[in-house]
Amino acid sequence: MDTSASPYSQRRVDYPGSKLCEVCSAIPASFWSDESRNIGVKLQPLESMRLEAERGCQLCAILLLGPGRDPNFQSGNLKTLELIRNAFYGMAEDMDVDRSSLLTLREDTLRGQDHGYRKINPRDFGFSLVPSPWSALEPVKMGEHVDNIQLIQVWLEHCRDNHTQCSSNTECFLPTRILDLQAFSDSEDIRLITSMADDLFFDGQPPKYVTLSHCWGPPSKQPLTTTTATLSERMTRIPFEKLPQTFRDSVEICRSLRQRFLWIDSLCIIQDDEGDWAKEAALMASVYSRSFFTLAALDSKDSSGGCKMIADIQSSYSNRFGDIDFYGLEEHETRFHRQRLRVFELPFFDDGSIEVGHLNSRAWTLQERELSRRVISFASQGLLWECKELRATSQRPWENIERSITRSIYRVPLGDTKGLFKSKASWDDIVEDYSARLLTKQSDRLIALSGIAQAAQEFYPGATYVGGIWSTLIPEGLLWKTVPQRSKATELQYQTDTESAYIAPSWSWASVKSPVDFSLVRASVKVPVDLNFSFGRTIAQRLKVEEMVGIPKYQDPYGALEYGALVLSGALLFNVDISDRVIGPHADLFVGLIKDGVPVGEVSLDAADMLSSLSKSKLYFLCLVFSFHVYGLLLREGVNHEDGYTRVGVGMIRYRRSLGIFPKCKPRTIKLV
């Protein structure tokens, strides 16, 4: 290890706002800029660092976070600490930090153990040179707040000037109604305007507008809305003080960023006008994809939570950081130009925690986020910027970070619909994520996904879309199964739908309230060529979609339904019984399948309360996909032949049992409703 770099080089001159003690200011520039590995500099004893941190040394304040998190570290006044660059002991290969930018603080034990040193939490620190244009911002100090408005402005200008993918959307569009934030020169009040009735276009081009993504919350905390009774009032004046906190914060942010127009769903859609609501819901894809950017109140449970305008870096574990501005002379070198360094804590693991917020547990917000060109999320741990070319946090706003690994759709850049729908599995991923989210009204189950479905249509050419399923993804698209427990949140206690309301046909995942997954699709594989089971290889070839019918409740073919049906030809099915004995970890869903008194497989019911009602029903198993087992649907026959079949579950027939069953089945045409 090279420890020849002396801390007593010629003294540096600090820029205002980045105060350093004499020892830290004497760290040579080569320590921060040299690309070679394992460079070390002597600092000072721990107690001296604490004293200098109290006096305002930014580097001492940051580095002291390491010993503070090590309960085994008890240093005396005379033990010298050394700062090592590029020591990455035990660092994970996928750690989201440049491995050449890691810092390790060590203690000189003076005992000859471990080469005379003991490491102190080697994962604690990283540093990075702050590039332009972010280096022009006010330095961030430990113990002070981050200026979010300045940071957002730089993000927006950098994206506008440098990201060609984010500026490629030039279609002329304005929402039907929009909020004018500069309606009154002598007041903070705003008003609702009609985009076509008011002269908003300049040289035929619409003005830029901002969208808000937020949680409505329970009925007791519903946001301010526009209704048929209040429409005239909203278009005259909306007092600023009557706006809930999230709306007030959004208005202030837009004004600070010199944005005049803002779209908020509760105010820009007439909430008690079913026709207006349906028409505007069908326009959601355009509203969010054409906006200049979207503000996301990620951590607010309802409209009273607000956007976190100020991020307190002291209260955010593993996210604290500070800036150091300095310049000076190096021995045997010319004048060293001004640089800004950002020194920050490193997390022990990257769990995507900044994405975990109340907003991401709601169904409506999936398309609001995925279809927007730019999203600025206000989280408890700071800001999150997302666009097609950059995804970054307030800690390192210039550096791309990975999207959360919890869902594969989040690995795709924001607004990249080509990447989002590049494979059949992508639609399964979207449905799995979406179905695990919460809805106040189950009748919105298809409506809240209609924007993404519209965007997906060009990637499924010639496909028919009904009830959240694409005709070209059948039969695999029918192999969804319910998940007993929610992965994102508990069920809402204030749902307002009636049980009898029609949502979707039984073969659609939208017909159930539970989350769904496509694990059976991933389990099923193509039939091995050398497998002596000739009819199995022809099952998928025989099964054909003859007709896929969906009658829209409104005018949106991707939205709510009044009726849906699926006609399949070449179907192989046979009658079965179900066992009284439940199997598997979720006893209320899994039952056995019986053919002629012999157990042949198992099935997962679509709802836990179905078992008793199926005991007197005529049941059939429909084969969809053959692997080493036969995967398919459990169907209930209607009272009359023209009634067709209703799906009640999904499961499999074991391979050996299927050998004696399916060769005897004759292909037929059936209707699923």
Side-chain angles (χ1 to χ4, degrees), residues 140 144-149 151 309-313 321 383 394:
V140 176
E144 296 187 3
H145 299 298
V146 179
D147 189 334
N148 284 335
I149 295 300
L151 179 56
M309 296 280 287
I310 297 176
D312 186 356
I313 60 176
F321 59 92
L383 286 182
S394 49

Side-chain angles (χ1 to χ4, degrees), residues 376-441:
I376 303 162
S377 297
F378 293 82
S380 59
Q381 292 189 345
L383 286 182
L384 175 65
W385 165 275
E386 293 180 277
C387 68
K388 292 184 178 182
E389 298 189 32
L390 177 66
R391 183 172 187 272
T393 66
S394 49
Q395 188 191 64
R396 282 165 282 162
W398 57 87
E399 184 174 317
N400 257 312
I401 61 173
E402 291 293 326
R403 301 189 80 179
S404 171
I405 62 173
T406 56
R407 294 286 179 182
S408 63
I409 66 171
Y410 293 138
R411 302 188 189 111
V412 179
L414 193 71
D416 181 9
T417 52
K418 291 184 179 180
L420 195 61
F421 306 118
K422 64 183 178 181
S423 68
K424 289 183 179 181
S426 296
W427 186 255
D428 297 347
D429 293 331
I430 291 170
V431 170
E432 287 181 348
D433 182 285
Y434 176 79
S435 66
R437 294 171 178 244
L438 301 176
L439 278 167
T440 302
K441 297 181 179 180

Side-chain angles (χ1 to χ4, degrees), residues 481-485 582-591 603-605 608:
K481 69 181 182 69
T482 56
V483 178
Q485 297 183 2
V582 294
I583 59 177
H586 302 288
D588 54 347
L589 286 179
F590 285 84
V591 297
V603 68
S604 171
L605 300 178

Side-chain angles (χ1 to χ4, degrees), residues 248-322:
R248 289 201 300 268
D249 287 350
S250 300
V251 170
E252 291 179 344
I253 292 170
C254 287
R255 285 171 172 167
S256 299
L257 297 171
R258 301 187 295 278
Q259 299 301 315
R260 178 176 177 178
F261 300 105
L262 175 64
W263 190 90
I264 302 177
D265 53 1
S266 67
L267 290 173
C268 296
I269 301 175
I270 304 174
Q271 297 299 318
D272 61 349
D273 185 330
E274 187 175 8
D276 186 75
W277 190 90
K279 178 173 71 71
E280 295 302 312
L283 292 174
M284 286 290 191
S286 296
V287 169
Y288 281 93
S289 64
R290 308 303 179 191
S291 69
F292 186 37
F293 61 87
T294 294
L295 296 173
L298 193 62
D299 244 22
S300 299
K301 296 181 180 179
D302 51 62
S303 59
S304 66
C307 299
K308 296 187 180 299
M309 296 280 287
I310 297 176
D312 186 356
I313 60 176
Q314 293 295 350
S315 64
S316 182
Y317 180 74
S318 290
N319 193 44
R320 291 171 286 189
F321 59 92

